Amino acid sequence: MKRVGVAILGLGVVGGGTYKTLVDHREFYQKTQNVDIVVESVLDKNTARLKELGVPEECIAGSIAEVVANPAIDIVIETIGGVGVAKEFVMMALKEGKTVVTANKEMISKCSHELERIARRNSCGLYYEASCVGGVPIIRTLLDGVQANHITEMMGIVNGTTNYILTKMAQDGADYQTALKEAQALGYAEFDPTNDVEAFDSTYKLSILSSMAFHTKVPYTKVHREGITTVDAKDIAIGKEFGYALKLLAIGKNSADGVEVRVHPTFIPAEHPLASVNDAYNAVYLRGDALDDIMLYGKGAGAFPTASAVVSDVIYAATHSEIKYSTFKNNATADSNVKFISDFSTAYYIRLSVVDKAGVLAKICSVFSKYGISIVEIAQKGRECENSDVVPLVIITHKTKENAIRNAVAKLKVSELATVESVIRVEA
Ligand code: HSE
């Protein structure tokens, strides 16, 4: 039976889950995959963690140099995270011709093209199923399952922390800070939640997934990014009355006009399959020209769901002699011929506070009309307190250009006709 040696760099949550999965399932993989995958070496300075996981003394490496020089190691698993040390170690492994499997979305989003070129030069693989949506096999689906299609659209809930927070705000009417604290207490959100709540994590994932879906290099810097920190529970409740659910969506669209990539809080119809993805669950909804629509759903984080993705790459690399690389010409300027659309079109929900007196509505509508924005629905809600003549006014627009909305909102702000409380994009 073929024997494949692996090393694990970093025994945090995902590295630890990967170690346990590989050790516990070794015989199962021998039987089902006809391959003996052996953890030869682990590299982590945390001796308590090594002990907790029961790593045998002879498997503990002293340095990365020792790992990459070990001829018994075919595959190096990187579960350190971040770009600095992780990238340095990955480059050392690739330069020694060792296939790398990683869960590192930030490194892959920022450096995969450079790393893949090093892998190609050294005839080894670079696999990263675990970098996006944890246990959900979205990358293999894009690389294999849906290759028959032009993928025209992708919409994903790719961050569990923010989905948990928005679910709590929707279900309990909790405000953002309260829901965040609950997510932190449950271990979903980190002490410093910036990476999740400001949507950096979703942005990295969208750049990786849309590069694969659209066969083109999509740098993370091209993704329009807005997080959830300013989401008001009031809008979630009002949106519900209009038949919408609010989600942090990672949206990629590919058409003859170009590629559009954006992450922001988005209203979707309550009957959309993504609307029922709640708590810390993730899902990716794809539209292909032959396939029509599909949705993959599951756990996007956690030790074992993510280890499932890491180990699936290890098994793939251990059982295939042919290496899979990106499906477009990967050079440093691969994105220079791609047209990225920043003035995208979508529908909008706008909540204003206005003075409830004759003529105000007409003036507000004339501002929208000036910028060619067509209104689908207007609803004036009741006064928020008895002795104020200010009322909330909610406007839903037809599909319109982002810049038109920005101009109209800027005009409303200077006109003092209304206070613009929130602007939320709406996808059908
Ligand atoms: N922090 C991420 C999430 C998981 O909340 O989904 C890892 O990307």
Side-chain angles (χ1 to χ4, degrees):
M1 185 181 298
K2 184 178 170 190
R3 182 183 189 287
V4 172
V6 304
I8 305 175
L9 313 180
L11 283 184
V13 174
V14 176
T18 300
Y19 176 79
K20 281 183 77 62
T21 303
L22 283 170
V23 170
D24 295 350
H25 291 62
R26 182 172 168 185
E27 278 180 33
F28 176 63
Y29 302 145
Q30 288 171 353
K31 282 195 202 120
T32 58
Q33 308 293 329
N34 198 28
V35 66
D36 186 21
I37 300 172
V38 187
V39 180
E40 283 288 340
S41 180
V42 298
L43 183 63
D44 197 301
K45 286 198 192 102
N46 185 341
T47 45
R49 180 71 171 151
L50 291 161
K51 209 167 167 186
E52 180 193 349
L53 289 164
V55 179
E57 199 65 36
E58 65 275 16
C59 290
I60 300 172
S63 69
I64 183 67
E66 196 185 300
V67 172
V68 298
N70 185 344
I73 294 171
D74 306 286
I75 299 172
V76 172
I77 300 169
E78 182 277 310
T79 44
I80 299 167
V83 174
V85 172
K87 183 183 176 193
E88 186 192 323
F89 287 6
V90 163
M91 284 173 68
M92 287 172 74
L94 293 173
K95 284 177 180 166
E96 284 300 321
K98 298 193 189 297
T99 282
V100 168
V101 170
T102 176
N104 189 330
K105 64 216 59 108
E106 183 179 356
M107 178 184 74
I108 289 299
S109 171
K110 292 180 176 172
C111 320
S112 71
H113 304 94
E114 176 194 353
L115 294 174
E116 192 192 271
R117 290 197 292 277
I118 298 172
R120 282 180 190 257
R121 279 201 294 278
N122 293 282
S123 304
C124 53
L126 174 67
Y127 297 109
Y128 40 89
E129 179 66 70
S131 68
C132 295
V133 206
V136 178
I138 180 64
I139 290 191
R140 189 142 298 113
T141 298
L142 289 170
L143 278 181
D144 287 331
V146 300
Q147 283 287 313
N149 295 260
H150 286 282
I151 301 293
T152 53
E153 191 178 317
M154 175 163 54
M155 292 211 286
I157 295 171
V158 297
N159 182 272
T161 303
T162 47
N163 202 37
Y164 181 84
I165 293 170
L166 292 178
T167 302
K168 283 292 127 190
M169 292 175 75
Q171 290 178 349
D172 306 346
D175 64 20
Y176 168 74
Q177 285 299 341
T178 306
L180 169 64
K181 284 204 182 84
E182 201 176 319
Q184 283 170 321
L186 288 169
Y188 293 133
E190 292 178 35
F191 175 69
D192 175 359
T194 310
N195 205 36
D196 292 318
V197 298
E198 294 292 4
F200 290 101
D201 178 79
S202 297
T203 294
Y204 297 145
K205 290 169 182 167
L206 180 62
S207 84
I208 297 168
L209 295 177
S210 50
S211 293
M212 296 193 154
F214 305 148
H215 308 280
T216 195
K217 182 176 171 183
V218 180
Y220 77 99
T221 48
K222 296 290 180 189
V223 178
H224 173 96
R225 176 186 58 80
E226 288 173 30
I228 64 161
T229 53
T230 58
V231 169
D232 189 332
K234 202 182 287 172
D235 289 309
I236 301 181
I238 297 173
K240 216 184 258 180
E241 292 173 25
F242 282 91
Y244 296 134
L246 188 75
K247 297 290 176 189
L248 180 69
L249 289 193
I251 300 169
K253 295 188 182 181
N254 186 25
S255 68
D257 296 335
V259 169
E260 177 183 323
V261 271
R262 48 195 167 97
V263 176
H264 50 66
T266 314
F267 275 131
I268 45 172
E271 61 275 13
H272 192 288
L274 286 168
S276 56
V277 177
N278 285 323
D279 299 316
Y281 279 89
N282 285 192
V284 181
Y285 178 86
L286 294 173
R287 180 166 294 160
D289 57 350
L291 170 76
D292 210 349
D293 300 342
I294 58 164
M295 189 168 94
L296 282 82
Y297 168 88
K299 287 191 173 154
F304 292 105
T306 313
S308 163
V310 171
V311 175
S312 81
D313 275 344
V314 171
I315 291 172
Y316 181 89
T319 55
H320 290 75
S321 51
E322 194 194 329
I323 302 163
K324 281 235 171 199
Y325 296 115
S326 52
T327 52
F328 53 92
K329 194 166 166 50
N330 175 7
N331 58 34
T333 57
D335 55 315
S336 59
N337 292 326
V338 185
K339 188 174 168 226
F340 291 98
I341 302 170
S342 56
D343 190 16
F344 48 82
S345 290
T346 186
Y348 291 79
Y349 158 107
I350 300 157
R351 178 164 60 88
L352 308 172
S353 289
V354 298
V355 176
D356 190 10
K357 66 174 188 196
V360 170
L361 189 56
K363 284 184 191 151
I364 288 172
C365 288
S366 77
V367 172
F368 282 90
S369 160
K370 178 173 175 333
Y371 293 100
I373 299 164
S374 173
I375 293 170
V376 177
E377 205 170 342
I378 292 194
Q380 182 174 313
K381 311 304 264 177
R383 287 180 192 202
E384 284 177 338
C385 65
E386 267 178 27
N387 42 13
S388 161
D389 55 358
V390 173
V391 288
L393 186 74
V394 176
I395 297 174
I396 311 282
T397 73
H398 278 289
K399 223 173 173 190
T400 187
K401 291 269 190 190
E402 171 82 7
N403 285 346
I405 291 290
R406 286 180 190 221
N407 289 335
V409 164
K411 181 81 183 169
L412 284 174
K413 282 182 179 164
V414 294
S415 71
E416 293 179 359
L417 276 170
T419 306
V420 181
E421 305 288 358
S422 44
V423 178
I424 299 175
R425 299 172 188 90
V426 181
E427 289 286 324

